[in-house]
């Protein structure tokens, strides 16, 4: 009987904890306006490539994220906020022009490598956002674009 009581108490505690954490918010990544350092304001980005980047990269690598419905549920909201913060620390297309030329070139190399190898967008992202998956030809378009921007920077 004690074991049942302990399990019941533990379950009640977990349920109450889940309810309480719903009231602890996390920051959202929604910019009011396009940054002056935005990639497309300083470098030529063909419409097709811009569409691919926005669809497959910008949720984690820009100042504006389009959040899914489950972002309203804790602890998922915290996890998403941390994931977006991490993505922006690695690469932020909305702050790209503020990077040094060396860092821009490094980031373009990383884009090329991760897109070519199918590492980006992350599989955990494309499971939910299936339209963010990149075909081989779309990957090639992004890689070619990155090479052209590298030439502009050099």
């Amino acid at each position: 009987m004690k074991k049942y009581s302990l399990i019941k108490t533990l379950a009640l505690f977990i349920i109450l904890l889940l309810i309480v954490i719903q009231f602890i918010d996390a920051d959202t990544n929604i910019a009011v306006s396009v940054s002056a350092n935005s990639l497309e304001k300083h470098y030529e980005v063909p419409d097709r490539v811009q569409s691919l980047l926005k669809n497959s990269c910008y949720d984690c690598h820009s100042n504006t994220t389009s959040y899914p419905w489950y972002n309203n549920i804790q602890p998922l909201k915290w996890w998403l906020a941390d994931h977006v913060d991490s993505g922006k620390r690695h690469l932020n297309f909305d702050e790209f022009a503020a990077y040094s030329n060396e860092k821009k070139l490094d980031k373009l190399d990383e884009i090329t490598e991760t897109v070519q190898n199918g590492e980006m967008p992350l599989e955990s992202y494309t499971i939910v956002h299936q339209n963010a998956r990149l075909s081989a030809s779309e990957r090639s378009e992004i890689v070619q674009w990155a090479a052209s921007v590298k030439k502009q920077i050099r």
Side-chain angles (χ1 to χ4, degrees), residues 30-153:
I30 301 175
V32 177
S33 62
V34 178
S35 170
N37 293 317
S38 170
L39 172 76
E40 63 269 16
K41 285 190 172 188
H42 297 270
Y43 298 96
E44 185 178 333
V45 184
D47 291 342
R48 172 83 173 135
V49 172
Q50 184 66 23
S51 176
L52 292 172
L53 294 175
K54 285 191 180 218
N55 192 46
S56 299
C57 309
Y58 272 45
D59 273 350
C60 296
H61 297 285
S62 77
N63 292 338
T64 302
T65 300
S66 177
Y67 288 99
W69 65 269
Y70 54 83
N71 185 61
N72 295 314
I73 302 169
Q74 295 294 24
L76 294 175
K77 188 171 189 173
W78 293 330
W79 179 76
L80 285 172
D82 182 63
H83 189 75
V84 169
D85 287 345
S86 175
K88 285 173 57 176
R89 278 192 307 274
H90 285 93
L91 169 65
N92 187 338
F93 287 107
D94 285 333
E95 302 302 329
F96 190 83
Y99 296 163
S100 70
N101 282 349
E102 183 180 337
K103 185 173 181 177
K104 289 175 192 173
L105 293 170
D106 286 344
K107 293 303 172 186
L108 289 164
D109 284 341
E110 287 178 24
I111 290 168
T112 299
E113 182 181 332
T114 59
V115 168
Q116 274 182 332
N117 294 338
E119 297 169 10
M120 285 289 168
L122 293 175
E123 188 176 343
S124 61
Y125 182 76
T126 59
I127 287 171
V128 177
H129 303 88
Q130 298 212 358
N131 62 336
R133 291 184 180 170
L134 296 170
S135 68
S137 64
E138 291 169 334
R139 290 180 189 285
S140 179
E141 285 179 67
I142 293 171
V143 167
Q144 289 173 11
W145 163 79
S148 72
V149 174
K150 283 172 62 175
K151 285 180 185 176
Q152 291 176 43
I153 293 170

